[in-house]
Amino acid sequence: MKYFIFLVFSRVLLSQNNAYEKFQKYVQSPNGCVLFIEYSQSYFDEQIVSSGVLYSKENIYIYDNEKQSIKYEDGYITTINKQINQVVYDSINKESMTIFDVLTGNNQCLSINTAIIENNQFRIPFYIELWGVKGSIWTNLVDGSPEKVTFIQDEDMKVYIDIKSSVNSAELTLPKYDIAGYEVINLIE
């Protein structure tokens, strides 16, 4: 009986420690991943709400909504403002941190804590030292698909991302945009 309890307990601990890896494998699937999200940010008295689609394939991440498209690839960000026909090219400083680093786990400033089983999901707490931000990722227990992500800096800055649905598909094609005629701003140094 002791061995059975130890085996069950060990299995739970191992699965909790692998929860973030499972999440990363889901989001970074070779087939690609599409997340349909609702985004809510409160900053002091200002509230921003939007919805969009996050595409992930071959270490390329694209967030797209009706107003803009943001592409992250190899430390470079391309922002397409669809409303004013403008494209901004920028690079990310290696000491900086983005939401994409949470998805990939590629930054030293990101501390992942042991996952907790909560409401039939894994809750994976994390801390971003650079920003002083605490957060959590809620994932499906079985496949690691994300359900929700939160970032909380203090009472004045909170971000909630609800994943309404997600898909892994071998037929995924990343969106491409015709930016002919757009104003181009290149901030890459």
Side-chain angles (χ1 to χ4, degrees):
M1 184 65 170
K2 286 182 185 179
Y3 295 111
F4 178 73
I5 292 172
F6 175 75
L7 181 64
V8 169
F9 184 69
S10 297
R11 196 169 164 104
V12 168
L13 282 179
L14 286 174
S15 66
Q16 288 176 339
N17 290 335
N18 291 327
Y20 185 68
E21 291 174 22
K22 218 185 237 190
F23 159 72
Q24 287 182 309
K25 283 182 184 175
Y26 186 89
V27 174
Q28 297 175 21
S29 166
N31 290 332
C33 177
V34 180
L35 306 175
F36 298 90
I37 65 174
E38 286 188 6
Y39 172 90
S40 171
Q41 176 180 340
S42 61
Y43 185 69
F44 292 99
D45 293 330
E46 191 176 329
Q47 180 85 11
I48 298 170
V49 177
S50 92
S51 60
V53 182
L54 179 67
Y55 301 87
S56 169
K57 188 168 187 176
E58 298 171 357
N59 294 317
I60 299 171
Y61 301 89
I62 298 173
Y63 174 72
D64 188 53
N65 65 23
E66 69 280 351
K67 296 179 183 178
Q68 68 181 352
S69 174
I70 302 169
K71 177 181 176 183
Y72 175 83
E73 180 179 12
D74 294 329
Y76 294 95
I77 291 191
T78 303
T79 304
I80 300 172
N81 186 321
K82 299 174 185 178
Q83 295 180 313
I84 61 172
N85 296 341
Q86 182 183 71
V87 180
V88 178
Y89 298 104
D90 203 356
S91 60
I92 300 297
N93 185 326
K94 290 186 180 187
E95 286 81 44
S96 294
M97 180 88 183
T98 69
I99 179 67
F100 304 108
D101 293 311
V102 175
L103 296 175
T104 63
N106 286 338
N107 196 293
Q108 303 301 331
C109 298
L110 181 65
S111 299
I112 302 297
N113 296 319
T114 303
I116 303 161
I117 296 176
E118 196 174 271
N119 298 324
N120 290 325
Q121 297 174 326
F122 278 122
R123 181 172 69 86
I124 307 163
F126 62 85
Y127 181 69
I128 303 171
E129 186 176 342
L130 184 66
W131 298 340
V133 171
K134 294 179 182 178
S136 291
I137 304 166
W138 282 262
T139 66
N140 181 288
L141 288 172
V142 177
D143 66 5
S145 61
E147 306 280 339
K148 176 170 62 170
V149 182
T150 61
F151 298 87
I152 300 174
Q153 189 169 34
D154 54 38
E155 286 303 311
D156 296 323
M157 202 287 284
K158 299 176 183 174
V159 175
Y160 301 97
I161 301 172
D162 286 319
I163 291 90
K164 296 302 180 184
S165 65
S166 61
V167 177
N168 284 73
S169 172
E171 299 173 12
L172 172 66
T173 303
L174 294 174
K176 296 188 190 265
Y177 305 95
D178 181 7
I179 56 171
Y182 278 41
E183 175 189 10
V184 175
I185 298 172
N186 190 344
L187 302 174
I188 298 173
E189 298 177 13

